[in-house]
Every structure is written in structure tokens, then in C-alpha cells.
Amino acid sequence: MRITGIELRRVAMPLVTPFRTSFGTETERDVLLVRVVTPDAEGWGECVAMSDPLYSPEYVDAAADVLRRFLVPALPAHTDAHGVGRALHPFKGHRMAKAALETAVLDAQLRTSGQSLATYLGAAVDRVPAGVSVGIMNSVPELLEAVTGYLDEGYRRVKLKIAPGWDLAPTRAVREHFGPGLLLQVDANAAYTLTDAPHLAKLDPLDLLLIEQPLAHDDLLQHARLAERITTPICLDESIESAQDAAAAITLGACSIVNIKPGRVGGYLEARRIHDLARAHGLAVWCGGMLETGIGRAANLALAALPGFTLPGDTSASRRYYTTDLTPPFELHDGHLNVPATPGIGVDPIPAVLDEVTTSTEWIPF
Ligand code: SMG
Ligand code: MG
């Protein structure tokens, strides 16, 4: 496949409601889109880096910078998605930027060959159950009202964001209000330390599916220690940046579940490797989310359709995030989202919407 040029495009997408986590509050997504142009097709990739380096060291201005200065210039004009990985390998880190570029190339490649991303990755189903990630709220009644709304819409699993001062009481309240049948889990985004183990053990009786990333992103060993002191299964998010990290976490006993986010691990090819590894070791995986627009969501749904994704993911409907999505909106049907089945990621941005929200574009000719 011959690349004729690559566009870096920034779009501003206001969220329908602020999303608060242990590290900050998002009110608008400043999204970087990568568009790869070839003679036969165009491909899209959405960079999941946030505006500030709080979830991880990456942030959107840095992703745009590394793409324009290093990653795009390193690509051969003739390449495919595997070639992207080889060409970008010498550059350390910046996995979210790399993932966006690799995904755009993969999308163009699959559109050219007429294959859907879901089929290419090995999807086993054509729809996936939808979970929802619920931010930190000002009060427990406000939280119960939000969760009620999501359950009324049909969401199959609820994840509560927790932080010191907003953990036991809200989680217990949700469990008591909605009963033992609710699939419930929590996500700390690295807000605790191992000295909090006795406190986190108080979540054990609440029968949670998992606790996500309780401790620092770079401390697998302490997660392994924590796993010996609580019964709630530990799921890692920020700590797993590669299949190699997943292998280390499995060997150490640092987690029994992995949240797979293609952006965090450098792309869909590495995401599939982690899926394969986890599956071979009997670990469940599920597909995380980074408040993606329809572009990133479409590709995540293809991944979430793989057979090892045995838990509902954070792939929610478009309206949970945006009043107007960049693509035709993803909607819940009986608590599920359909996996796009047409070539590539299976969706295109709506030109008028895209123009409306674009804040800058940059064309890099090959
Ligand atoms: O896309 O629904 C979504 C967000 C899911 O909670 C979510 N993501 O740590 O898993 C996580 C967070 C990271 C993004 S927070 C701004
Ligand atoms: Mg998380």
C-alpha cells in the first residue's frame, strides 16, 4: 500500500456531562485524528491521549508533536500495519500516538482489501454487551440517580470511579440500592498505596467483579502483594502498556483480569497479542475506553468482539459522551452495541460535523 499523505486533525468535542476521576475532571475532549490517504482508500485513527499528562505521561500536544517530528517521517511510503510497528519500534514510548498512526494505516489497508477490522482481528460475535463508567459525583444520591438512568437505558455493567474519600460509602450504596444482581466494579486510577490494603479489603464483601488499577502504574510488585490481602480480583489498566507487561503481571500474580485499551498499548495488533496471552493463561480481559468519538469506538467494538473479551467493557453508546458524535451514533440495543461489519473500522466521520468541530488540520505529504 502506498501512502500519499497523512493529515493530523484536532477536534473539540464537549462532553454531555463532566467526567471526574481520581486524577481530574474532563469537560471536553481535545481529540487528535490521524487520516492516512492512499490511492485506493483513506484510513482513520483516533489518538486517545488526554489534554494533560494525568492518566499517563502522554498528552495530546505531545502526541501531535511526536507524530509530525518523528513517527510520520519514519514511515516508508509503501507499508502495511505490521510495517508501521517495525518502523516506529526505535522510538520509545508514545504508544497512544503510535496506535493512532498504526490504526489509520490498518484501516486504509482493510478498506482496500474489503475486510472489516472485526474479521481481521478474529471477532467471534457481532454485538457486545455495553458497560458504563460512572464518574465521581458530589453526593451519593446524585450517584444513585446517575446509575439508575444508565440501568434504565440498558447498560449491563456499572463501573464506579473511586478515590480516597469516595470509595466505600458510594460503592456500598450502589450495591445496596441495586442489589446483588448488578455487575459492579470500581476503578481507582492509581489513587492508593499498599498501606491502604486494610481499607480496600473493606470492599471485599461488596462482591465486586474487580478493582481496577488500585496502585501506581509502575508498581506490579505491590499489586501482587495487594492481591494477597484482598479478595476482590485485581484488574490492571495503566500498568499494562505491552504484551511484555502483561506477561510480567501474570507471572507476578499482579492481576487476574486485564483492561485492554489499544491506545495505551500501541495499537490493535499489540492489543490482540495481550488478548491471546491472557486467554492462554485463563485471564479474562475486557475493552476499556478513553471517551472516544465514534471513530475510536468503532475500532474498539471490533476488538471487544474477540472471544477472550468475556467481561462487558467501557464501550458505551455515543450519547453517553456526546450530543453529536463524529460518526452516525452508536446506540444501545438490548444493552448491546453492534460491531461494525463493513470494511476497515466500518464508520466514517460525517463531513459537516467534522468540519464544525475541527480546530486545526495539518497535511504531511509523502
Ligand atoms: O470511554 O467510557 C469511557 C471512559 C472509561 O473510565 C474510563 N476510562 O481509567 O479506565 C479508565 C478511564 C480513563 C479515562 S478517564 C478520563
Ligand atoms: Mg481505568
Side-chain angles (χ1 to χ4, degrees), residues 35-51:
R35 181 169 66 99
V36 166
V37 179
T38 78
D40 300 310
E42 290 185 4
W44 290 93
E46 175 170 342
C47 180
V48 299
M50 301 274 157
S51 304

Side-chain angles (χ1 to χ4, degrees), residues 159 161 187 189 212 237-238 259 261:
K159 158 167 142 183
K161 288 291 187 178
D187 185 1
N189 287 108
E212 184 178 341
D237 173 357
E238 286 91 324
N259 167 343
K261 292 178 181 168

Side-chain angles (χ1 to χ4, degrees), residues 308-330:
F309 284 76
T310 52
L311 292 169
D314 282 345
T315 40
S316 307
S318 294
R319 58 177 290 196
R320 180 255 172 275
Y321 311 93
Y322 306 109
T323 308
T324 309
D325 205 339
L326 287 182
T327 61
F330 283 95

Side-chain angles (χ1 to χ4, degrees), residues 15 19-26 29 48 50 55 131-135 157 159-161 187-190 212-213 237-238 259 261 264 286-293 297 300 313-317 320-322:
L15 289 164
F19 186 60
R20 184 170 153 205
T21 65
S22 64
F23 61 79
T25 305
E26 311 292 321
R29 284 290 277 123
V48 299
M50 301 274 157
Y55 165 81
V132 62
S133 176
V134 186
R157 183 227 68 188
K159 158 167 142 183
L160 305 180
K161 288 291 187 178
D187 185 1
N189 287 108
E212 184 178 341
Q213 197 66 44
D237 173 357
E238 286 91 324
N259 167 343
K261 292 178 181 168
R264 195 193 64 223
W286 54 279
C287 186
M290 294 290 285
L291 309 171
E292 286 90 346
T293 72
R297 190 163 309 284
N300 284 347
D314 282 345
T315 40
S316 307
R320 180 255 172 275
Y321 311 93
Y322 306 109

Side-chain angles (χ1 to χ4, degrees), residues 117 268 293-303 327 330 339-340 345-347:
L117 179 61
Y268 287 84
T293 72
I295 306 266
R297 190 163 309 284
N300 284 347
L301 288 166
L303 180 72
T327 61
F330 283 95
V339 178
I345 63 170
V347 299

Side-chain angles (χ1 to χ4, degrees), residues 6 8 32-34 47 60-74 88 94 96-102 362 364:
I6 291 185
L8 304 181
L32 170 64
L33 298 174
V34 177
C47 180
V60 65
D61 283 335
D65 188 68
V66 77
L67 276 160
R68 87 167 66 84
R69 288 176 62 185
F70 299 105
L71 306 185
V72 171
L88 304 188
H94 299 283
M96 293 175 179
K98 290 176 176 177
L101 184 53
E102 184 188 275
E362 191 176 333
I364 308 172

